[in-house]
Amino acid sequence: MKFVSKALAAVVAAGLSAGAAFADWPEKPITYVVSFGAGGNADIMARMNAEVLSKELGVPVNVVNRPGGGHVPATMSVLKEPADGYTVFNWSPPSFMIGPLTRNVPFTPLEDFTPLYAGISASNALYVRADSPYNTFEEFIEGAKGQKLKMGVNGFGAPPNLSAVQLATEFGLEFNTIALKTVPATLAGLIGGEVDVAVGQVASNYAYNGEIRPLIILDNNRQPYFERDLPGVRTVGEAFPDKEASVWVHGGLAVKAGTPDDVVAKLLEAAKPMGEAEFINSVPKSISYQWVHGVEDTTALIQSGIDLYSPILDSLGRLKK
């Protein structure tokens, strides 16, 4: 009995000690790992987020870019650190969905991480050159039937490619798909005549000074930023309610699973300004933004992406067995 009492007392003491250890969190700088290179939208958004977190938490939040390796090295660099909130991860579709769905990776996103929020968003649109004979989406559908137009995407298995596959399936089309590595390279290829049509983010239109023209937004549902980025452009769901055009491109912050609840709560509280109008209005026009906050809602958002992309990847023969 005395042994049990001592053991129980030790467990309670250890729990209190662990809680006390995080009572003053954070006490040192936080590392914010990004699995993309510097200068892209994911990096820009991460740095804006880090600035908010640093201000709210009172410690430096340092963005570290670790691109390459199919996003696995960056992901694992977070999981190799203690679950103490001092190393956080900029999750994205390649790291949390497309990679784990298409190949064996040494982690399971929703088991090994606790997602906190989503901010960056990027619904896709279908673009043609400004001088294209296709003035409407309906004209494009008719013109694309019976021929294999060259479809530009940024990579096989990437979200724009999945949107193009879904488009082809829903409307009975066949494309000669050409991967041009990045969305800017894809749209430059469209302008230069390498491809006939291309899929890029809704906000891509800003950078090309009228050289490209959006035909339709490849989404079922209208998001608030669509009118800002592509005023007057319909979604597939609006033009063809019987067709499926779901899209899923989000990114945000996650911590290693097992991070103490108090630390998670402090990070969530510190992130709240990112959902306010002042911050949202400061986001560059080249970035689409849709705020989702909280572990439960963000987890549900990520699961919805997994559920969406699994059958599309399966139809491409890319879903791992």
Side-chain angles (χ1 to χ4, degrees):
M1 198 66 174
K2 288 181 180 178
F3 175 79
V4 173
S5 298
K6 287 181 180 179
L8 181 59
V11 170
V12 172
L16 291 173
S17 175
F22 291 97
D24 297 324
W25 189 95
E27 298 180 289
K28 62 180 182 180
I30 295 169
T31 299
Y32 195 132
V33 177
V34 179
S35 60
F36 295 89
N41 284 346
D43 176 63
I44 292 169
M45 199 75 255
R47 292 178 188 278
M48 292 180 68
N49 290 352
E51 185 176 347
V52 171
L53 293 175
S54 179
K55 179 181 178 181
E56 295 296 316
L57 294 171
V59 298
V61 178
N62 302 314
V63 173
V64 176
N65 299 94
R66 290 183 177 141
H71 302 264
V72 173
T75 308
M76 293 307 298
S77 74
V78 178
L79 293 179
K80 289 176 182 176
E81 297 296 325
D84 56 11
Y86 285 111
T87 305
V88 299
F89 184 53
N90 186 80
W91 65 265
S92 65
S95 59
F96 266 31
M97 272 156 293
I98 296 170
L101 285 172
T102 57
R103 63 188 187 278
N104 292 320
V105 295
F107 61 90
T108 303
L110 293 181
E111 292 180 10
D112 295 329
F113 286 93
T114 299
L116 304 185
Y117 62 73
I120 191 171
S121 177
S123 292
N124 294 316
L126 187 71
Y127 291 97
V128 293
R129 284 185 295 279
D131 61 357
S132 169
Y134 306 125
N135 294 304
T136 67
F137 181 64
E138 287 82 357
E139 288 179 2
F140 167 78
I141 293 299
E142 286 304 311
K145 287 179 178 178
Q147 61 175 315
K148 291 180 67 172
L149 294 177
K150 290 182 286 185
M151 167 67 76
V153 299
N154 64 316
F156 294 112
N161 178 215
L162 301 185
S163 287
V165 170
Q166 191 175 53
L167 173 70
T169 301
E170 289 293 316
F171 289 91
L173 306 176
E174 189 176 1
F175 298 117
N176 178 15
T177 303
I178 299 174
L180 295 168
K181 294 188 178 180
T182 66
V183 171
T186 299
L187 295 176
L190 174 63
I191 294 168
E194 292 181 64
V195 294
D196 303 306
V197 60
V199 176
Q201 279 88 30
V202 164
S204 297
N205 203 39
Y206 287 108
Y208 296 93
N209 301 316
E211 294 180 280
I212 61 175
R213 179 157 43 83
L215 292 182
I216 201 145
I217 298 170
L218 300 172
D219 205 336
N220 282 111
N221 304 309
R222 175 161 292 275
Q223 303 298 336
Y225 59 82
F226 288 176
E227 198 57 31
R228 182 200 75 175
D229 294 337
L230 293 179
V233 178
R234 300 168 297 166
T235 67
V236 170
E238 290 167 340
F240 298 89
D242 61 326
K243 300 295 184 183
E244 182 62 38
S246 299
V247 69
W248 204 105
V249 186
H250 294 275
L253 191 76
V255 294
K256 185 177 179 179
T259 299
D261 291 344
D262 288 350
V263 173
V264 169
K266 287 182 179 181
L267 282 166
L268 286 171
E269 184 65 27
K272 283 184 177 178
M274 301 174 200
E276 297 173 358
E278 182 179 357
F279 180 85
I280 294 171
N281 291 336
S282 72
V283 175
K285 286 186 175 181
S286 61
I287 299 175
S288 299
Y289 193 79
Q290 185 178 352
W291 180 241
V292 177
H293 183 256
V295 173
E296 185 176 349
D297 287 347
T298 309
T299 300
L301 179 71
I302 293 169
Q303 186 61 54
S304 72
I306 294 170
D307 295 341
L308 170 65
Y309 283 154
S310 292
I312 300 175
L313 289 165
D314 193 25
S315 72
L316 288 171
R318 297 288 301 274
L319 192 67
K320 72 178 181 183
K321 302 302 181 182

